[in-house]
Amino acid sequence: MTNGEKLHTISALVEDKPGVLTRVAGLFAARGFNIDSLAVGPTETPGLSRMTIVVNVETKPLEQVTKQLNKLINVIKILEHDPGTSVERELMLVKVRAAGEDRQRILEIASVFRVNVVDVTHHTITLEAAGKPEKLEALLELVADFGIVELSRTGRIALSRGDRGIRDRVLRAARTAGGEGA
Amino acid sequence: MTTLTGARALLKALELEGVEVIFGIPGGASMPIYDPLVDESPIRHILCRHEQGAGHAAEGYAWATGRPGVCMATSGPGGTNLVTPLADAKMDSVPIVAITGQVPTPVVGNDAFQEADITGITMPITKHNFLVKDPAEIVRTVREAFHIATTGRPGPVLIDLPKDVLLAETEWSWPERVSLPGYRPTTKGNQRQVVEAVKMILASERPVLYVGGGVIKANASEELYRLATLGRLPVVTTLMARGAFPDSHELCLGMPGMHGSYTAVTAMQRADLLVALGARFDDRVTGKLAAFAPHARVIHVDIDPAEIGKNRAADVPIVGDCRDVIAKMVAELERRQGEAGPPDRSAWLAQLREWQQRFPFRYDQRPDGPLKPQYAVERLRALADDDTIVVAGVGQHQMYASQFWRFEKPRHWINSGGLGTMGFAVPAALGAKVGRPDARVVAIDGDGCFQMTAQELATSTTEKIPFVCAILNNGYLGMVRQWQELFFDQRYSGVYLDPNVPDYVKLAEAYGAVGIRVERPDEVDAAIEKAYSITDRSVVIDFRIDPSEGVFPMVPAGASNDDIILGPEAIRPTSDPEEAPIA
Ligand SMILES: Cc1ncc(C[n+]2csc(CCOP(=O)(O)OP(=O)(O)O)c2C)c(N)n1
Ligand SMILES: [Mg+2]
């Protein structure tokens, strides 16, 4: 991994308790990191939520933040995703100005990108796009020319490829610290 | 089936957790807890005069005994007054449990009278905190709070209890064990790593054991003693670890860091191996990090994985409790050294000895000159027994205390290391005395610090908790003055207090304590003897010390440890802001 500024995706399995989101977000703020996106939702296990946090950092301090996160009592497990071996997706709704002949061009873009049209008015078209973050960026760049009225994104979610779930994985931070397990 | 109020369940749970004392101040939201304290609960409540005092008293109790200290406050301002001690306990890993009342749940979030979001406020300064909304959860929460506060890397835990939850009836049930799936500290060190560490120790020519507060927390002083003596390994004890290894031992080099001994600082700079035991490479120890111990490989033992590699990369990282890991190191070292004993490092040990002789801490007390603070500390120590517990505030006096007191045992030195909280000493001394009523407790305080929490002398008198408070009164915020002297061209700004205001002797008397003023060196011993002979009341000694005295050696903030300044004569004052260090 390079040492420069870079987006990292972290999954955190957390207890579904009041204040957990504040604890996690507060820790990033206190250590001086900017959260790029944060998505939370329930998991396969009742009582546990999963947070996907995209953060802009350098590699070394990120290790410090994952170790600190892992110390939070309500955090069960942390996983830093390796882009090569994980699936990352995001959902976005974008309302684009669509007057006159722009309408047709926007619909063409929508069809090339295989995204859904979810609302149409005399002046706008709203697209629903899901997929890899790069795909959403490419789409946004194209439709930006027409004028974006508003935009809402869920933030990234991620799972590792392969058979194992987050709970089977050895915490990277614990491994590097040489402990006998987290 | 027993039903009882939430408040009674709380007190019973505290009792079963072994709590003997609570330091606190009541208020509207916490009143339900105070009623059963009248005649039902065996727990002693010590009424402090400020919640900050209650918090530091709980810390002092924990430092002195190793058991968790408990403090209590009402909602709103009661809770916010606990912020400083909680932050202090977080930085110094002190196990305390704070209990706060909260406004009733139906009005939480309504800006009700004396409402403050204390769990929100204290999130970053506690190890964990809880807001309990169901009386049935109180007992389990208390169990979890004590478990979290006292295990792994210890720290402060706060429990916020709304008044209606305290008043509601609940069924009593005591959970036998605590289950926290997200909290499983690693306590047992990895044996393979221990073997690597011991091999590295045996191969080293210039090793230093860099001992931090974790050794005290883990009660690992005996194991440390065996490791040091078995391997003939020199020891430095940080400000947090004074007393973890006896100062009188020939292998002890004393305190490292900004105001450490020349030998301790330089030994680390020249070492080829640092064995960090429960220490965290704090900036006050390392100086300029890039220039710190440049030749040393590092073995880093800590119970907190986040400390390892945080400031300095470790060649052999070992996550675990210091007592477990050091005991394993001793066994492995014994096995590998066998009959042959440690490798010959006589040149290194001789070098250290030579530095110790050439560069001891020094000061110049003229018989007819102004009283020097170091002399007062030395006499306070000389006339005390080894079981005396010494507590310090924050400033020059704290450094004099750490430098000139001779520490022989762990848990006999209590101070605010990480946060540097002025006002710590008086209430922490009170708490220490409650925890160790058989030991003499001496607070070495500054005149500035003393004024921040002196009100707890009232608690000392009314609750009959006597200690000695030796104020090293220089009439200044001395440590700040020293920096202005050295780095701001002697332009003194906002540091003069006036040694006569307040009149510390009269103030002591007003609080029901004994006040003694000492102005000349030849009065020192008689005053200390008198103070030590009084055991039914606290005694305040107002030592009028030379305000121009400075703490040396000194490594200016941000400078390399190689640029250690031995004394004031070596200083080149600068007003160049580029050169001025950052506090
Ligand atoms: C609560 C708080 N405020 C300010 C400081 C900054 N500070 C550090 S040492 C010091 C001076 C302490 O004065 P005094 O208690 O008289 O001790 P001295 O240095 O004179 O021995 C100050 C103001 C601090 N550490 N804590
Ligand atoms: Mg002073």
PDB file of all heavy atoms in Angstrom, chain A residues 19 22-23 60 64 67-68 71-76 177-182, chain B residues 123 128-129 181-184 186 188 190 304-306 308-310 317 319:
ATOM      1  N   GLY A  19     -25.323   5.533  21.243  1.00  0.00           N
ATOM      2  CA  GLY A  19     -24.041   6.216  21.378  1.00  0.00           C
ATOM      3  C   GLY A  19     -22.883   5.582  20.626  1.00  0.00           C
ATOM      4  O   GLY A  19     -21.805   6.154  20.568  1.00  0.00           O
ATOM      5  N   THR A  22     -21.635   7.716  17.782  1.00  0.00           N
ATOM      6  CA  THR A  22     -20.897   8.879  18.289  1.00  0.00           C
ATOM      7  C   THR A  22     -19.492   8.485  18.727  1.00  0.00           C
ATOM      8  O   THR A  22     -18.525   9.199  18.489  1.00  0.00           O
ATOM      9  CB  THR A  22     -21.624   9.474  19.510  1.00  0.00           C
ATOM     10  OG1 THR A  22     -23.014   9.416  19.272  1.00  0.00           O
ATOM     11  CG2 THR A  22     -21.199  10.883  19.781  1.00  0.00           C
ATOM     12  N   ARG A  23     -19.383   7.348  19.401  1.00  0.00           N
ATOM     13  CA  ARG A  23     -18.065   6.907  19.858  1.00  0.00           C
ATOM     14  C   ARG A  23     -17.120   6.696  18.688  1.00  0.00           C
ATOM     15  O   ARG A  23     -15.961   7.131  18.714  1.00  0.00           O
ATOM     16  CB  ARG A  23     -18.177   5.583  20.622  1.00  0.00           C
ATOM     17  CG  ARG A  23     -18.731   5.733  22.010  1.00  0.00           C
ATOM     18  CD  ARG A  23     -18.841   4.371  22.708  1.00  0.00           C
ATOM     19  NE  ARG A  23     -19.874   4.407  23.711  1.00  0.00           N
ATOM     20  CZ  ARG A  23     -19.705   4.935  24.932  1.00  0.00           C
ATOM     21  NH1 ARG A  23     -18.547   5.423  25.283  1.00  0.00           N
ATOM     22  NH2 ARG A  23     -20.710   4.969  25.775  1.00  0.00           N
ATOM     23  N   LYS A  60       0.165   4.508   8.087  1.00  0.00           N
ATOM     24  CA  LYS A  60       0.595   4.274   9.463  1.00  0.00           C
ATOM     25  C   LYS A  60      -0.389   4.788  10.499  1.00  0.00           C
ATOM     26  O   LYS A  60      -0.803   4.035  11.372  1.00  0.00           O
ATOM     27  CB  LYS A  60       1.992   4.830   9.711  1.00  0.00           C
ATOM     28  CG  LYS A  60       2.517   4.388  11.059  1.00  0.00           C
ATOM     29  CD  LYS A  60       3.908   4.867  11.330  1.00  0.00           C
ATOM     30  CE  LYS A  60       4.251   4.641  12.788  1.00  0.00           C
ATOM     31  NZ  LYS A  60       3.855   5.766  13.639  1.00  0.00           N
ATOM     32  N   GLN A  64      -3.041   3.131  13.804  1.00  0.00           N
ATOM     33  CA  GLN A  64      -3.308   3.651  15.139  1.00  0.00           C
ATOM     34  C   GLN A  64      -4.820   3.782  15.363  1.00  0.00           C
ATOM     35  O   GLN A  64      -5.345   3.425  16.405  1.00  0.00           O
ATOM     36  CB  GLN A  64      -2.591   5.005  15.311  1.00  0.00           C
ATOM     37  CG  GLN A  64      -2.809   5.700  16.617  1.00  0.00           C
ATOM     38  CD  GLN A  64      -2.406   4.903  17.855  1.00  0.00           C
ATOM     39  OE1 GLN A  64      -2.972   5.086  18.911  1.00  0.00           O
ATOM     40  NE2 GLN A  64      -1.444   4.014  17.723  1.00  0.00           N
ATOM     41  N   LYS A  67      -6.520   0.400  15.810  1.00  0.00           N
ATOM     42  CA  LYS A  67      -6.243  -0.136  17.150  1.00  0.00           C
ATOM     43  C   LYS A  67      -7.095   0.574  18.202  1.00  0.00           C
ATOM     44  O   LYS A  67      -7.606  -0.048  19.126  1.00  0.00           O
ATOM     45  CB  LYS A  67      -4.768   0.037  17.501  1.00  0.00           C
ATOM     46  CG  LYS A  67      -3.848  -0.956  16.812  1.00  0.00           C
ATOM     47  CD  LYS A  67      -2.422  -0.611  17.189  1.00  0.00           C
ATOM     48  CE  LYS A  67      -1.425  -1.629  16.710  1.00  0.00           C
ATOM     49  NZ  LYS A  67      -0.046  -1.223  17.091  1.00  0.00           N
ATOM     50  N   GLN A  68      -7.208   1.887  18.060  1.00  0.00           N
ATOM     51  CA  GLN A  68      -8.014   2.633  19.025  1.00  0.00           C
ATOM     52  C   GLN A  68      -9.486   2.243  18.903  1.00  0.00           C
ATOM     53  O   GLN A  68     -10.186   2.105  19.905  1.00  0.00           O
ATOM     54  CB  GLN A  68      -7.857   4.145  18.819  1.00  0.00           C
ATOM     55  CG  GLN A  68      -6.460   4.679  19.097  1.00  0.00           C
ATOM     56  CD  GLN A  68      -6.072   4.634  20.566  1.00  0.00           C
ATOM     57  OE1 GLN A  68      -6.899   4.359  21.433  1.00  0.00           O
ATOM     58  NE2 GLN A  68      -4.811   4.885  20.855  1.00  0.00           N
ATOM     59  N   LYS A  71     -10.348  -0.787  20.667  1.00  0.00           N
ATOM     60  CA  LYS A  71     -10.419  -0.671  22.132  1.00  0.00           C
ATOM     61  C   LYS A  71     -11.793  -0.234  22.611  1.00  0.00           C
ATOM     62  O   LYS A  71     -12.093  -0.375  23.795  1.00  0.00           O
ATOM     63  CB  LYS A  71      -9.376   0.347  22.614  1.00  0.00           C
ATOM     64  CG  LYS A  71      -7.977  -0.238  22.686  1.00  0.00           C
ATOM     65  CD  LYS A  71      -6.924   0.839  22.815  1.00  0.00           C
ATOM     66  CE  LYS A  71      -7.039   1.620  24.109  1.00  0.00           C
ATOM     67  NZ  LYS A  71      -5.931   2.601  24.208  1.00  0.00           N
ATOM     68  N   LEU A  72     -12.607   0.323  21.723  1.00  0.00           N
ATOM     69  CA  LEU A  72     -13.959   0.713  22.154  1.00  0.00           C
ATOM     70  C   LEU A  72     -14.705  -0.550  22.591  1.00  0.00           C
ATOM     71  O   LEU A  72     -14.684  -1.568  21.891  1.00  0.00           O
ATOM     72  CB  LEU A  72     -14.711   1.411  21.024  1.00  0.00           C
ATOM     73  CG  LEU A  72     -14.153   2.767  20.573  1.00  0.00           C
ATOM     74  CD1 LEU A  72     -14.988   3.335  19.439  1.00  0.00           C
ATOM     75  CD2 LEU A  72     -14.098   3.750  21.737  1.00  0.00           C
ATOM     76  N   ILE A  73     -15.334  -0.448  23.736  1.00  0.00           N
ATOM     77  CA  ILE A  73     -15.959  -1.635  24.325  1.00  0.00           C
ATOM     78  C   ILE A  73     -17.052  -2.188  23.407  1.00  0.00           C
ATOM     79  O   ILE A  73     -17.242  -3.401  23.321  1.00  0.00           O
ATOM     80  CB  ILE A  73     -16.578  -1.287  25.705  1.00  0.00           C
ATOM     81  CG1 ILE A  73     -15.562  -0.571  26.594  1.00  0.00           C
ATOM     82  CG2 ILE A  73     -17.156  -2.515  26.385  1.00  0.00           C
ATOM     83  CD1 ILE A  73     -14.391  -1.359  27.065  1.00  0.00           C
ATOM     84  N   ASN A  74     -17.770  -1.311  22.714  1.00  0.00           N
ATOM     85  CA  ASN A  74     -18.884  -1.768  21.881  1.00  0.00           C
ATOM     86  C   ASN A  74     -18.461  -2.231  20.492  1.00  0.00           C
ATOM     87  O   ASN A  74     -19.294  -2.638  19.700  1.00  0.00           O
ATOM     88  CB  ASN A  74     -19.933  -0.657  21.717  1.00  0.00           C
ATOM     89  CG  ASN A  74     -20.479  -0.188  23.052  1.00  0.00           C
ATOM     90  OD1 ASN A  74     -20.528   0.995  23.324  1.00  0.00           O
ATOM     91  ND2 ASN A  74     -20.891  -1.124  23.886  1.00  0.00           N
ATOM     92  N   VAL A  75     -17.175  -2.143  20.201  1.00  0.00           N
ATOM     93  CA  VAL A  75     -16.708  -2.598  18.889  1.00  0.00           C
ATOM     94  C   VAL A  75     -16.246  -4.049  19.007  1.00  0.00           C
ATOM     95  O   VAL A  75     -15.372  -4.374  19.802  1.00  0.00           O
ATOM     96  CB  VAL A  75     -15.562  -1.695  18.377  1.00  0.00           C
ATOM     97  CG1 VAL A  75     -14.933  -2.289  17.125  1.00  0.00           C
ATOM     98  CG2 VAL A  75     -16.086  -0.298  18.092  1.00  0.00           C
ATOM     99  N   ILE A  76     -16.869  -4.909  18.206  1.00  0.00           N
ATOM    100  CA  ILE A  76     -16.547  -6.341  18.288  1.00  0.00           C
ATOM    101  C   ILE A  76     -15.375  -6.684  17.383  1.00  0.00           C
ATOM    102  O   ILE A  76     -14.496  -7.446  17.750  1.00  0.00           O
ATOM    103  CB  ILE A  76     -17.771  -7.194  17.841  1.00  0.00           C
ATOM    104  CG1 ILE A  76     -19.031  -6.754  18.570  1.00  0.00           C
ATOM    105  CG2 ILE A  76     -17.498  -8.672  18.002  1.00  0.00           C
ATOM    106  CD1 ILE A  76     -19.153  -7.208  19.977  1.00  0.00           C
ATOM    107  N   ALA A 177       0.694  -6.318  16.341  1.00  0.00           N
ATOM    108  CA  ALA A 177       1.185  -6.028  17.692  1.00  0.00           C
ATOM    109  C   ALA A 177       1.773  -7.268  18.344  1.00  0.00           C
ATOM    110  O   ALA A 177       2.356  -7.189  19.409  1.00  0.00           O
ATOM    111  CB  ALA A 177       0.064  -5.484  18.552  1.00  0.00           C
ATOM    112  N   GLY A 178       1.625  -8.414  17.722  1.00  0.00           N
ATOM    113  CA  GLY A 178       2.245  -9.617  18.248  1.00  0.00           C
ATOM    114  C   GLY A 178       1.512 -10.225  19.415  1.00  0.00           C
ATOM    115  O   GLY A 178       2.063 -11.011  20.164  1.00  0.00           O
ATOM    116  N   GLY A 179       0.276  -9.894  19.596  1.00  0.00           N
ATOM    117  CA  GLY A 179      -0.482 -10.482  20.701  1.00  0.00           C
ATOM    118  C   GLY A 179      -0.958 -11.870  20.358  1.00  0.00           C
ATOM    119  O   GLY A 179      -0.797 -12.344  19.238  1.00  0.00           O
ATOM    120  N   GLU A 180      -1.546 -12.514  21.322  1.00  0.00           N
ATOM    121  CA  GLU A 180      -2.027 -13.864  21.084  1.00  0.00           C
ATOM    122  C   GLU A 180      -3.456 -13.853  20.571  1.00  0.00           C
ATOM    123  O   GLU A 180      -4.123 -14.866  20.559  1.00  0.00           O
ATOM    124  CB  GLU A 180      -1.940 -14.689  22.365  1.00  0.00           C
ATOM    125  CG  GLU A 180      -0.565 -15.303  22.542  1.00  0.00           C
ATOM    126  CD  GLU A 180      -0.459 -16.153  23.769  1.00  0.00           C
ATOM    127  OE1 GLU A 180      -1.305 -16.035  24.671  1.00  0.00           O
ATOM    128  OE2 GLU A 180       0.482 -16.954  23.836  1.00  0.00           O
ATOM    129  N   GLY A 181      -3.949 -12.754  20.169  1.00  0.00           N
ATOM    130  CA  GLY A 181      -5.330 -12.651  19.677  1.00  0.00           C
ATOM    131  C   GLY A 181      -5.973 -11.434  20.305  1.00  0.00           C
ATOM    132  O   GLY A 181      -5.468 -10.911  21.312  1.00  0.00           O
ATOM    133  N   ALA A 182      -7.033 -10.979  19.711  1.00  0.00           N
ATOM    134  CA  ALA A 182      -7.639  -9.743  20.210  1.00  0.00           C
ATOM    135  C   ALA A 182      -8.478  -9.995  21.441  1.00  0.00           C
ATOM    136  O   ALA A 182      -8.953 -11.077  21.657  1.00  0.00           O
ATOM    137  CB  ALA A 182      -8.520  -9.128  19.140  1.00  0.00           C
TER     138      ALA A 182
ATOM    139  N   MET B 123     -17.244  11.083  26.838  1.00  0.00           N
ATOM    140  CA  MET B 123     -16.896   9.959  25.957  1.00  0.00           C
ATOM    141  C   MET B 123     -15.400   9.873  25.651  1.00  0.00           C
ATOM    142  O   MET B 123     -14.803   8.812  25.796  1.00  0.00           O
ATOM    143  CB  MET B 123     -17.700  10.086  24.662  1.00  0.00           C
ATOM    144  CG  MET B 123     -18.308   8.789  24.210  1.00  0.00           C
ATOM    145  SD  MET B 123     -19.416   9.102  22.842  1.00  0.00           S
ATOM    146  CE  MET B 123     -20.964   8.577  23.542  1.00  0.00           C
ATOM    147  N   HIS B 128     -14.811   3.984  29.223  1.00  0.00           N
ATOM    148  CA  HIS B 128     -16.149   3.691  28.734  1.00  0.00           C
ATOM    149  C   HIS B 128     -17.137   4.412  29.642  1.00  0.00           C
ATOM    150  O   HIS B 128     -16.801   4.762  30.768  1.00  0.00           O
ATOM    151  CB  HIS B 128     -16.409   2.182  28.784  1.00  0.00           C
ATOM    152  CG  HIS B 128     -17.639   1.768  28.010  1.00  0.00           C
ATOM    153  ND1 HIS B 128     -17.763   1.990  26.655  1.00  0.00           N
ATOM    154  CD2 HIS B 128     -18.780   1.151  28.392  1.00  0.00           C
ATOM    155  CE1 HIS B 128     -18.935   1.513  26.243  1.00  0.00           C
ATOM    156  NE2 HIS B 128     -19.572   1.005  27.268  1.00  0.00           N
ATOM    157  N   ASN B 129     -18.334   4.664  29.134  1.00  0.00           N
ATOM    158  CA  ASN B 129     -19.354   5.201  30.029  1.00  0.00           C
ATOM    159  C   ASN B 129     -20.719   4.631  29.678  1.00  0.00           C
ATOM    160  O   ASN B 129     -20.911   4.045  28.606  1.00  0.00           O
ATOM    161  CB  ASN B 129     -19.341   6.731  30.067  1.00  0.00           C
ATOM    162  CG  ASN B 129     -19.634   7.364  28.718  1.00  0.00           C
ATOM    163  OD1 ASN B 129     -20.239   6.761  27.840  1.00  0.00           O
ATOM    164  ND2 ASN B 129     -19.198   8.599  28.552  1.00  0.00           N
ATOM    165  N   PRO B 181     -18.572  -8.955  24.791  1.00  0.00           N
ATOM    166  CA  PRO B 181     -17.951  -9.584  23.614  1.00  0.00           C
ATOM    167  C   PRO B 181     -16.913  -8.700  22.927  1.00  0.00           C
ATOM    168  O   PRO B 181     -15.993  -9.214  22.293  1.00  0.00           O
ATOM    169  CB  PRO B 181     -19.141  -9.856  22.687  1.00  0.00           C
ATOM    170  CG  PRO B 181     -20.266  -9.029  23.205  1.00  0.00           C
ATOM    171  CD  PRO B 181     -20.024  -8.816  24.660  1.00  0.00           C
ATOM    172  N   GLY B 182     -17.038  -7.380  23.071  1.00  0.00           N
ATOM    173  CA  GLY B 182     -16.092  -6.486  22.393  1.00  0.00           C
ATOM    174  C   GLY B 182     -14.909  -6.124  23.268  1.00  0.00           C
ATOM    175  O   GLY B 182     -14.118  -5.256  22.907  1.00  0.00           O
ATOM    176  N   TYR B 183     -14.762  -6.752  24.419  1.00  0.00           N
ATOM    177  CA  TYR B 183     -13.711  -6.370  25.354  1.00  0.00           C
ATOM    178  C   TYR B 183     -13.008  -7.614  25.890  1.00  0.00           C
ATOM    179  O   TYR B 183     -13.489  -8.250  26.817  1.00  0.00           O
ATOM    180  CB  TYR B 183     -14.312  -5.574  26.507  1.00  0.00           C
ATOM    181  CG  TYR B 183     -13.310  -5.127  27.543  1.00  0.00           C
ATOM    182  CD1 TYR B 183     -12.357  -4.161  27.236  1.00  0.00           C
ATOM    183  CD2 TYR B 183     -13.304  -5.677  28.817  1.00  0.00           C
ATOM    184  CE1 TYR B 183     -11.430  -3.760  28.180  1.00  0.00           C
ATOM    185  CE2 TYR B 183     -12.383  -5.277  29.775  1.00  0.00           C
ATOM    186  CZ  TYR B 183     -11.449  -4.314  29.449  1.00  0.00           C
ATOM    187  OH  TYR B 183     -10.540  -3.922  30.377  1.00  0.00           O
ATOM    188  N   ARG B 184     -11.909  -7.954  25.277  1.00  0.00           N
ATOM    189  CA  ARG B 184     -11.139  -9.107  25.738  1.00  0.00           C
ATOM    190  C   ARG B 184      -9.663  -8.753  25.724  1.00  0.00           C
ATOM    191  O   ARG B 184      -8.942  -9.114  24.793  1.00  0.00           O
ATOM    192  CB  ARG B 184     -11.393 -10.325  24.819  1.00  0.00           C
ATOM    193  CG  ARG B 184     -12.827 -10.788  24.839  1.00  0.00           C
ATOM    194  CD  ARG B 184     -12.932 -12.287  24.552  1.00  0.00           C
ATOM    195  NE  ARG B 184     -14.325 -12.690  24.576  1.00  0.00           N
ATOM    196  CZ  ARG B 184     -15.119 -12.679  23.504  1.00  0.00           C
ATOM    197  NH1 ARG B 184     -14.632 -12.320  22.329  1.00  0.00           N
ATOM    198  NH2 ARG B 184     -16.380 -13.043  23.601  1.00  0.00           N
ATOM    199  N   THR B 186      -5.786  -8.707  25.958  1.00  0.00           N
ATOM    200  CA  THR B 186      -4.754  -9.750  25.945  1.00  0.00           C
ATOM    201  C   THR B 186      -3.879  -9.554  27.162  1.00  0.00           C
ATOM    202  O   THR B 186      -3.238  -8.515  27.298  1.00  0.00           O
ATOM    203  CB  THR B 186      -3.896  -9.606  24.673  1.00  0.00           C
ATOM    204  OG1 THR B 186      -4.761  -9.618  23.558  1.00  0.00           O
ATOM    205  CG2 THR B 186      -2.889 -10.727  24.558  1.00  0.00           C
ATOM    206  N   LYS B 188      -1.925 -12.400  28.556  1.00  0.00           N
ATOM    207  CA  LYS B 188      -0.799 -13.356  28.555  1.00  0.00           C
ATOM    208  C   LYS B 188       0.122 -13.079  27.380  1.00  0.00           C
ATOM    209  O   LYS B 188      -0.308 -13.107  26.230  1.00  0.00           O
ATOM    210  CB  LYS B 188      -1.344 -14.788  28.442  1.00  0.00           C
ATOM    211  CG  LYS B 188      -2.346 -15.126  29.543  1.00  0.00           C
ATOM    212  CD  LYS B 188      -1.647 -15.749  30.737  1.00  0.00           C
ATOM    213  CE  LYS B 188      -2.611 -16.049  31.862  1.00  0.00           C
ATOM    214  NZ  LYS B 188      -2.654 -14.961  32.876  1.00  0.00           N
ATOM    215  N   ASN B 190       2.932 -13.532  24.537  1.00  0.00           N
ATOM    216  CA  ASN B 190       3.249 -14.606  23.617  1.00  0.00           C
ATOM    217  C   ASN B 190       4.659 -15.152  23.918  1.00  0.00           C
ATOM    218  O   ASN B 190       5.637 -14.416  23.888  1.00  0.00           O
ATOM    219  CB  ASN B 190       3.176 -14.024  22.196  1.00  0.00           C
ATOM    220  CG  ASN B 190       3.450 -15.049  21.140  1.00  0.00           C
ATOM    221  OD1 ASN B 190       4.418 -15.807  21.223  1.00  0.00           O
ATOM    222  ND2 ASN B 190       2.608 -15.063  20.129  1.00  0.00           N
ATOM    223  N   ASP B 304      -1.706  -2.578  26.212  1.00  0.00           N
ATOM    224  CA  ASP B 304      -2.531  -1.873  25.222  1.00  0.00           C
ATOM    225  C   ASP B 304      -1.869  -1.977  23.848  1.00  0.00           C
ATOM    226  O   ASP B 304      -0.847  -1.336  23.605  1.00  0.00           O
ATOM    227  CB  ASP B 304      -2.665  -0.405  25.653  1.00  0.00           C
ATOM    228  CG  ASP B 304      -3.515   0.398  24.682  1.00  0.00           C
ATOM    229  OD1 ASP B 304      -3.950  -0.177  23.658  1.00  0.00           O
ATOM    230  OD2 ASP B 304      -3.741   1.589  24.945  1.00  0.00           O
ATOM    231  N   PRO B 305      -2.441  -2.758  22.939  1.00  0.00           N
ATOM    232  CA  PRO B 305      -1.812  -2.913  21.621  1.00  0.00           C
ATOM    233  C   PRO B 305      -1.650  -1.588  20.891  1.00  0.00           C
ATOM    234  O   PRO B 305      -0.736  -1.435  20.080  1.00  0.00           O
ATOM    235  CB  PRO B 305      -2.758  -3.836  20.845  1.00  0.00           C
ATOM    236  CG  PRO B 305      -3.873  -4.191  21.737  1.00  0.00           C
ATOM    237  CD  PRO B 305      -3.684  -3.528  23.067  1.00  0.00           C
ATOM    238  N   ALA B 306      -2.506  -0.620  21.204  1.00  0.00           N
ATOM    239  CA  ALA B 306      -2.430   0.658  20.497  1.00  0.00           C
ATOM    240  C   ALA B 306      -1.190   1.456  20.894  1.00  0.00           C
ATOM    241  O   ALA B 306      -0.798   2.386  20.193  1.00  0.00           O
ATOM    242  CB  ALA B 306      -3.685   1.485  20.747  1.00  0.00           C
ATOM    243  N   ILE B 308       1.780   0.105  21.170  1.00  0.00           N
ATOM    244  CA  ILE B 308       2.949  -0.492  20.531  1.00  0.00           C
ATOM    245  C   ILE B 308       3.053   0.013  19.100  1.00  0.00           C
ATOM    246  O   ILE B 308       2.123  -0.114  18.320  1.00  0.00           O
ATOM    247  CB  ILE B 308       2.871  -2.027  20.628  1.00  0.00           C
ATOM    248  CG1 ILE B 308       2.988  -2.408  22.108  1.00  0.00           C
ATOM    249  CG2 ILE B 308       3.952  -2.667  19.778  1.00  0.00           C
ATOM    250  CD1 ILE B 308       2.909  -3.859  22.410  1.00  0.00           C
ATOM    251  N   GLY B 309       4.187   0.616  18.802  1.00  0.00           N
ATOM    252  CA  GLY B 309       4.386   1.178  17.469  1.00  0.00           C
ATOM    253  C   GLY B 309       3.755   2.549  17.294  1.00  0.00           C
ATOM    254  O   GLY B 309       3.828   3.114  16.218  1.00  0.00           O
ATOM    255  N   LYS B 310       3.125   3.096  18.343  1.00  0.00           N
ATOM    256  CA  LYS B 310       2.469   4.396  18.198  1.00  0.00           C
ATOM    257  C   LYS B 310       3.491   5.501  17.939  1.00  0.00           C
ATOM    258  O   LYS B 310       3.354   6.272  17.003  1.00  0.00           O
ATOM    259  CB  LYS B 310       1.646   4.725  19.454  1.00  0.00           C
ATOM    260  CG  LYS B 310       0.855   6.025  19.332  1.00  0.00           C
ATOM    261  CD  LYS B 310      -0.039   6.286  20.534  1.00  0.00           C
ATOM    262  CE  LYS B 310       0.723   6.993  21.638  1.00  0.00           C
ATOM    263  NZ  LYS B 310      -0.129   7.330  22.787  1.00  0.00           N
ATOM    264  N   PRO B 317       7.522  -6.672  19.623  1.00  0.00           N
ATOM    265  CA  PRO B 317       6.327  -6.224  20.332  1.00  0.00           C
ATOM    266  C   PRO B 317       5.749  -7.365  21.158  1.00  0.00           C
ATOM    267  O   PRO B 317       5.691  -8.502  20.680  1.00  0.00           O
ATOM    268  CB  PRO B 317       5.360  -5.851  19.198  1.00  0.00           C
ATOM    269  CG  PRO B 317       5.804  -6.652  18.017  1.00  0.00           C
ATOM    270  CD  PRO B 317       7.233  -7.060  18.222  1.00  0.00           C
ATOM    271  N   VAL B 319       2.312  -7.930  23.470  1.00  0.00           N
ATOM    272  CA  VAL B 319       1.093  -7.443  24.112  1.00  0.00           C
ATOM    273  C   VAL B 319       0.820  -8.334  25.312  1.00  0.00           C
ATOM    274  O   VAL B 319       0.762  -9.557  25.189  1.00  0.00           O
ATOM    275  CB  VAL B 319      -0.107  -7.495  23.151  1.00  0.00           C
ATOM    276  CG1 VAL B 319      -1.381  -7.034  23.861  1.00  0.00           C
ATOM    277  CG2 VAL B 319       0.150  -6.625  21.929  1.00  0.00           C
TER     278      VAL B 319
END
